[in-house]
């Protein structure tokens, strides 16, 4: 007895055009009186390619998440870790240890500045000893202070010789990363770079179709956070928690909730009688 294909498999077949090749509405194999037809060569080759591509993506994401977990556990002073990767539309976080780290990355993407952005763009290590004393990124630094982050260490990631992103380590303690922590962070960045090098074009193809959409989603969420902070006088983490709670309570995608808040804020009349 064969099980019916799962929704994920059905979607894969639909995307690859295989749903039209092989009928999927039969849960059981043909009886003895009806010999099973030979598999279509096109089906075999296409399904193998689809399965192999998905397997490579799963292994890649698992490897990057493992780098995050290990760096968080072994780098002294680390309170959070993330991996940012670059594409045609900018940077996107593909692995992170917690929501605060994701928000820290998003702040840098939105402002276009910060250690992560610099490390990814220039291919060099960037360290912030104490955020309170930092002057290089005037738009980003206040956001880091609001989130309680006081030290940052960003190491560049490369696919071959090409800059590809950054491994970001965050701490709530100023001057948290000494020489040992720096060396460990560099080692983890090298390992992540090896993963990206072996991933090759598959990673670029995977990111290409979704990167722009993901960046737009992050921008809308950041705008909604700002609107809630201004309206309710709350901190960034609290604003994000409000968005997530509303999304879960109403079973509505987070981006839609954020977009509704941004739209309603823009439609509110300004003090001079116009629209914001």
């Amino acid at each position: 007895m064969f099980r019916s294909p799962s929704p994920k498999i059905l979607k894969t077949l639909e995307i690859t055009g295989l749903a039209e090749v092989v009928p999927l509405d039969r849960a059981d194999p043909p009886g003895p009186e009806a010999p099973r037809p030979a598999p279509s060569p096109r089906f075999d080759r296409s399904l193998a390619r689809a399965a192999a591509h998905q397997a490579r993506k799963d292994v890649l994401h698992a490897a990057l998440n493992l780098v995050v977990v290990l760096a968080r556990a072994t780098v002294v002073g680390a309170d959070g870790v993330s991996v940012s990767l670059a594409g045609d539309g900018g940077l996107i976080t593909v692995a992170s240890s917690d929501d605060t780290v994701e928000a820290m990355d998003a702040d840098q993407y939105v402002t276009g500045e910060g250690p992560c952005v610099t490390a990814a763009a220039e291919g060099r290590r960037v360290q912030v000893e104490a955020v309170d004393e930092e002057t290089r990124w005037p738009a980003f630094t206040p956001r880091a202070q609001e989130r309680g982050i006081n030290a940052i260490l960003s190491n560049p990631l490369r696919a071959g010789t090409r800059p590809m992103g950054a491994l970001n380590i965050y701490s709530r303690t100023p001057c948290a990363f000494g020489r040992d922590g720096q060396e460990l962070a560099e080692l983890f960045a090298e390992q992540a770079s090896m993963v990206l090098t072996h991933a090759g074009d598959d990673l670029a193809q995977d990111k290409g179709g979704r990167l722009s959409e993901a960046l737009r989603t992050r921008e809308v969420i950041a705008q909604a956070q700002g609107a809630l902070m201004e309206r309710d006088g709350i901190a960034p983490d609290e604003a994000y928690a409000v968005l997530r709670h509303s999304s879960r309570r109403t079973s509505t995608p987070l981006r839609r909730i954020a977009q509704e808040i941004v739209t309603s804020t823009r439609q509110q009349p300004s003090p001079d009688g116009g629209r914001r």
Side-chain angles (χ1 to χ4, degrees), residues 61-239:
H61 293 149
L64 294 178
N65 274 291
L66 180 59
V67 169
V68 165
V69 171
L70 291 176
R72 169 68 180 81
T74 59
V75 175
V76 175
D79 289 315
V81 181
S82 70
V83 172
S84 300
L85 294 184
D88 293 337
L91 290 166
I92 182 172
T93 301
V94 296
S96 67
S97 58
D98 56 72
D99 290 343
T100 297
V101 166
E102 290 239 6
M104 285 290 297
D105 288 352
D107 287 341
Q108 295 177 77
Y109 307 155
V110 171
T111 61
E113 62 181 40
C116 166
V117 174
T118 301
E122 300 181 7
R124 62 181 178 86
R125 186 181 74 191
V126 180
Q127 184 167 356
V128 177
E129 292 280 2
V131 168
D132 290 343
E133 301 173 4
E134 184 56 61
T135 60
R136 285 174 287 183
W137 308 291
F140 163 69
T141 301
R143 298 185 180 218
Q145 291 171 322
E146 289 177 355
R147 299 190 190 282
I149 297 300
N150 289 299
I152 307 170
L153 182 60
S154 292
N155 278 270
L157 302 179
R158 297 179 177 84
T161 59
R162 179 167 57 97
M164 193 69 178
L167 173 69
N168 311 299
I169 305 179
Y170 299 99
S171 178
R172 299 185 182 279
T173 305
C175 304
F177 308 118
R179 181 173 179 178
D180 289 344
Q182 294 171 15
E183 291 178 352
L184 267 177
E186 185 175 357
L187 175 62
F188 283 120
E190 290 175 355
Q191 295 302 309
S193 294
M194 291 176 60
V195 171
L196 295 175
T197 300
H198 289 306
D201 293 336
D202 288 335
L203 176 63
Q205 293 171 3
D206 181 36
K207 291 191 304 167
R210 300 183 303 173
L211 182 58
S212 296
E213 180 66 20
L215 289 171
R216 285 194 295 269
T217 295
R218 290 186 181 279
E219 183 175 359
V220 170
I221 291 174
Q223 291 173 353
Q225 279 182 271
L228 290 175
M229 290 165 60
E230 180 179 359
R231 187 191 71 186
D232 301 336
I234 56 179
D237 288 345
E238 293 176 297

Side-chain angles (χ1 to χ4, degrees), residues 12-13 16-22 24 36-53:
T12 300
L13 296 177
T16 57
L18 296 173
E20 299 177 359
V21 178
V22 179
L24 298 173
R36 186 183 306 162
S40 163
R42 176 188 168 194
F43 173 85
D44 285 346
R45 289 194 298 270
S46 299
L47 183 57
R49 284 196 297 269
H53 181 64

Side-chain angles (χ1 to χ4, degrees), residues 250-274:
T250 61
S251 298
T252 304
L254 185 60
R255 175 175 177 170
R256 186 179 301 174
I257 293 289
Q259 185 63 65
E260 290 174 354
I261 292 174
V262 171
T263 301
S264 64
T265 300
R266 289 172 178 170
Q267 291 175 344
Q268 292 177 6
S270 61
D272 60 3

